Amino acid sequence: MKIGVDFDRVLFKTDEFNEYLKEETGLHHVEADVYDENGCYSPEKHAEACGIDVEEIYSAMKNLSRFLYSDIDSLKKLKPEHELFIVTSGEEKLQKQKVKNSGANRLFDQLYIVQGAPKNVGGIDFLVDDREEEIENADVSGMVFDREKHDMEDLIEKIGDIE
């Protein structure tokens, strides 16, 4: 089975990372529109609205492994019977750097970044996402993954149940 796993808030502590970025850079909340034409957060627009160089954001994005949830290595249990893909929404450069600098890519066969489109990419059969509407839009089987209720063992059990 080909399993797509969302990055933000499933594999990666996005809210903690966002707080870290604010502490390390001049980013702060702004009323300006900081989203691009695809509805994705734009670091460039946010940096401009805060009066900083966007490179401050990217420079702060080193060694992000501390923002990975501690249980993601258990996904190895799904290999080699299944192909694992990171399927995430967002601005491409930002998402690529977050994934690469977190080290999450070591567990996955492929990274897909979608922008303003459903997450049914790479022929996935199953999508794990923290947002139910993403699974509905992808029109594939899936699991709504809430970090307050679930851990990776719950996902592994769910995959075992549907096999």
Side-chain angles (χ1 to χ4, degrees):
M1 181 180 340
K2 293 182 178 184
I3 303 168
V5 182
D6 182 40
F7 185 70
D8 290 300
R9 297 180 182 86
V10 174
L11 302 173
F12 191 74
K13 299 173 188 174
T14 305
D15 300 319
E16 286 181 29
F17 168 72
N18 290 341
E19 287 304 312
Y20 160 79
L21 266 188
K22 287 177 184 176
E23 292 169 11
E24 294 296 312
T25 68
L27 286 179
H28 56 273
H29 176 76
V30 294
E31 294 300 321
D33 179 15
V34 295
Y35 295 90
D36 66 18
E37 64 277 356
N38 295 311
C40 299
Y41 168 76
S42 169
E44 289 78 11
K45 284 186 170 189
H46 196 175
E48 183 179 334
C50 292
I52 65 170
D53 185 334
V54 70
E55 287 310 312
E56 282 189 51
I57 297 170
Y58 291 110
S59 293
M61 292 176 55
K62 299 197 178 8
N63 189 21
L64 301 180
S65 61
R66 66 188 174 276
F67 297 109
L68 288 177
Y69 285 100
S70 61
D71 63 350
I72 72 163
D73 279 332
S74 62
L75 289 173
K76 291 177 187 174
K77 295 176 184 176
L78 295 172
K79 302 285 237 160
E81 294 83 23
H82 305 284
E83 289 181 72
L84 299 178
F85 304 131
I86 294 176
V87 182
T88 187
S89 296
E91 192 273 331
E92 188 168 355
K93 181 178 177 183
L94 179 70
Q95 291 302 96
K96 276 184 179 178
Q97 192 158 343
K98 283 177 13 185
V99 170
K100 177 184 173 204
N101 292 353
S102 72
N105 51 344
R106 66 185 156 62
L107 299 168
F108 293 86
D109 299 295
Q110 185 74 37
L111 166 64
Y112 291 98
I113 300 170
V114 299
Q115 299 172 341
K119 291 184 172 179
N120 56 346
V121 295
I124 63 168
D125 304 298
F126 192 86
L127 178 62
V128 181
D129 203 290
D130 61 310
R131 296 177 42 194
E132 185 173 0
E133 60 269 18
E134 293 286 3
I135 296 167
E136 291 170 1
N137 291 340
D139 197 28
V140 295
S141 296
M143 176 181 184
V144 177
F145 199 89
D146 180 344
R147 273 290 175 178
E148 292 185 12
K149 299 176 184 173
H150 302 111
D151 61 24
M152 286 299 152
E153 290 299 327
D154 295 323
L155 170 59
I156 293 164
E157 183 178 324
K158 174 88 171 173
I159 297 299
D161 289 346
I162 62 174
E163 288 183 307

